[in-house]
Amino acid sequence: MPAVEPAPYVASAAASPVPAGFTDLATIPGLHFRVAYATADNFTGAPLPGYGWPGAWLAAPAAAALARAATALAALDYALVVFDGYRPARASAAMVAWAERVGRTDLLGVYIARRSGHNDGGSVDVGLADLRTGALLDMGSPFDTFDATAHIPNATGDTKKRRAVLGEVMIAQGWEPYSMEWWHFRFEAWQGAARDVPYGASEAPEETIRGEAAK
C-alpha cells in the first residue's frame, strides 16, 4: 500500500479549553495530527459526539512522554502522527452504539471498548510520517482497521520495520503497546478517572465518570 498524503485538518491550541492536568498536544513541537473522529472519515461514517473540533489532549505526564517519543523519532527521520488522544466518554458510547446498530458486536472488547483507556487521557493512537515531507507512511493497514492486518506481528518488509521502530521508541518512554492494533499505546504510569469533557462547545453538561478504564 502506498503512503497516504496528509489529511487537511489539524489541531489548534486555542479552539477549546483544556481540562486541568491535561496538555493540548498541539503545543508540542513536531507532532502531526489526523483526528478522523472529528470528521466523517472514520469507521462509523460520521463525526463522533464530543469532537466539535479536531483536538488531541492527553494527561500531562502522558503528553510529556509522547513529546520525548516524538523527539526520539525525529532523530530517526520520522514524525509522530496523532490519530487520537483523550477521547470523551460520549464518543466511546457512540462507537459501541454503532457496533450494535450495524451488527458488529464481535468488535466489542477487542477493538471497541465500552469504557476506553482513552477516556482518562492515558492512551494514544499514533502512526508515522516522513519527517521531511509530512506524508503519512504505510504501516501495513490504515488506522482503525478491524482485522488481523492491524495486529503488530502481521507485517513484512518496511511496514514491519516501521511498526518495530514505533513500538521500541514508545516502549522506551513508558508506553505499552496493544498487540491487535499497531497504533494504540497506553501510558503505564497513568491512573486517572474517565471523563466526558468534549472538544469544542459542550453538547451536554461536562462530567467526570468514575470507574476502571479498559483499552
Side-chain angles (χ1 to χ4, degrees), residues 79-105:
L80 192 61
V81 181
V82 177
F83 300 121
D84 197 30
Y86 157 75
R87 181 181 304 159
R90 69 192 71 185
S92 292
M95 291 179 176
V96 172
W98 171 87
E100 293 174 339
R101 184 172 63 252
V102 302
R104 291 304 310 271
T105 56

Side-chain angles (χ1 to χ4, degrees), residues 19-89:
F22 277 55
T23 298
D24 190 328
L25 299 183
T27 64
I28 297 176
L31 293 182
H32 293 217
F33 298 89
R34 307 287 185 271
V35 187
Y37 297 145
T39 77
D41 185 21
N42 66 72
F43 68 91
T44 72
L48 289 180
Y51 287 84
W53 64 278
W57 307 330
L58 282 177
L66 193 71
R68 293 192 297 270
T71 298
L73 285 164
L76 302 173
D77 292 327
Y78 293 112
L80 192 61
V81 181
V82 177
F83 300 121
D84 197 30
Y86 157 75
R87 181 181 304 159

Side-chain angles (χ1 to χ4, degrees), residues 111 124-126 138-142 145 147-168 170-171 175-186 215:
Y111 297 106
V124 71
D125 295 334
V126 291
D138 177 18
M139 298 296 287
S141 80
T145 296
D147 62 38
T149 62
H151 300 181
I152 292 174
N154 294 346
T156 58
D158 287 343
T159 57
K160 185 178 183 69
K161 175 185 174 182
R162 291 180 192 127
R163 290 185 185 188
V165 168
L166 178 61
E168 289 166 5
M170 293 291 283
I171 289 169
W175 294 91
E176 180 183 6
Y178 178 55
S179 65
M180 298 182 74
E181 296 177 343
W182 57 259
W183 55 85
H184 180 89
F185 295 85
R186 174 73 184 176
K215 180 187 75 66

